[in-house]
Amino acid sequence: MTKTELPELTVGELARRSGVPASALRFYEDEKLIRSRRTAGNQRRYRRDTLRRVTFIRMSQRVGMPLAQIREVLALLPDDRTPNRTDWARISHRWREDLDERIRQLEQLRDQLTDCIGCGCMSLSKCRLANPGDQLGRQGPGPQRLPDHRGESYA
């Protein structure tokens, strides 16, 4: 180890510093989001920059990004380089359209919540007015008044 190199982190140290349970860190490693090296005793050791990568993963999850999308953007970074401010700006711009669509869907759900969420369940008396004869149920399973995953609306 050179003077400028800092010691690697154990799984316990990384868990304490990041606030992420060790089990989640092992899961992130299994999912190829982070990586470690193994000591002669088969213990995990993480480079210190893994702390920033874990923080990036947690913040990405907090805004609703699935791990598959997080993995995709992390794969765009050079090996062993953690996201910096410029990277985050590029990534957040890439995710903005997806987040805007999620916001639109949540606003639509909120606005329809007092009426009918479009499930076609016929369990509320008001559904007989909004969905006579269970017309929405004949259009297929799931919420028919909310847009599907492609952003299209069925009703």
Side-chain angles (χ1 to χ4, degrees):
M1 179 169 59
T2 66
K3 267 175 121 175
T4 58
E5 246 183 273
L6 294 172
E8 296 173 309
L9 299 170
T10 66
V11 69
E13 291 167 333
L14 184 58
R16 262 189 312 283
R17 293 281 312 273
S18 67
V20 174
S23 59
L25 295 173
R26 289 189 290 273
F27 174 75
Y28 290 165
E29 193 170 344
D30 290 344
E31 292 294 314
K32 311 276 189 260
L33 296 167
I34 62 174
R35 63 181 166 188
S36 67
R37 74 167 184 85
R38 296 298 180 116
T39 66
N42 202 29
Q43 296 174 333
R44 289 177 167 88
R45 292 294 185 264
Y46 297 94
R47 289 172 36 127
R48 295 185 82 75
D49 58 4
T50 305
L51 180 59
R52 182 177 284 185
R53 199 172 186 94
V54 169
T55 301
F56 174 83
I57 293 165
R58 296 298 288 180
M59 294 307 296
S60 299
Q61 288 179 303
R62 187 171 286 172
V63 298
M65 289 298 125
L67 289 180
Q69 286 184 356
I70 296 168
R71 186 181 311 102
E72 284 176 19
V73 297
L74 288 174
L76 299 174
L77 299 174
D79 284 344
D80 295 327
R81 183 162 85 60
T82 57
N84 59 31
R85 188 179 301 262
T86 303
D87 295 322
W88 180 248
R90 187 177 69 237
I91 290 165
S92 63
H93 178 74
R94 179 181 173 137
W95 287 345
R96 185 178 182 94
E97 188 176 314
D98 182 56
L99 290 171
D100 286 344
E101 176 60 22
R102 290 177 194 212
I103 291 168
R104 190 186 69 70
Q105 289 176 358
L106 285 170
E107 286 174 340
Q108 184 178 4
L109 176 62
R110 178 202 62 209
D111 294 345
Q112 293 178 358
L113 197 57
T114 56
D115 212 14
C116 175
I117 63 169
C119 64
C121 68
M122 300 294 292
S123 63
L124 299 174
S125 61
K126 192 161 189 162
C127 285
R128 287 182 291 210
L129 300 174
N131 184 22
D134 194 22
Q135 295 168 352
L136 295 174
R138 287 192 290 279
Q139 293 179 22
Q144 297 301 315
R145 290 182 180 214
L146 296 176
D148 69 5
H149 66 280
R150 295 178 306 266
E152 300 166 2
S153 180
Y154 287 108

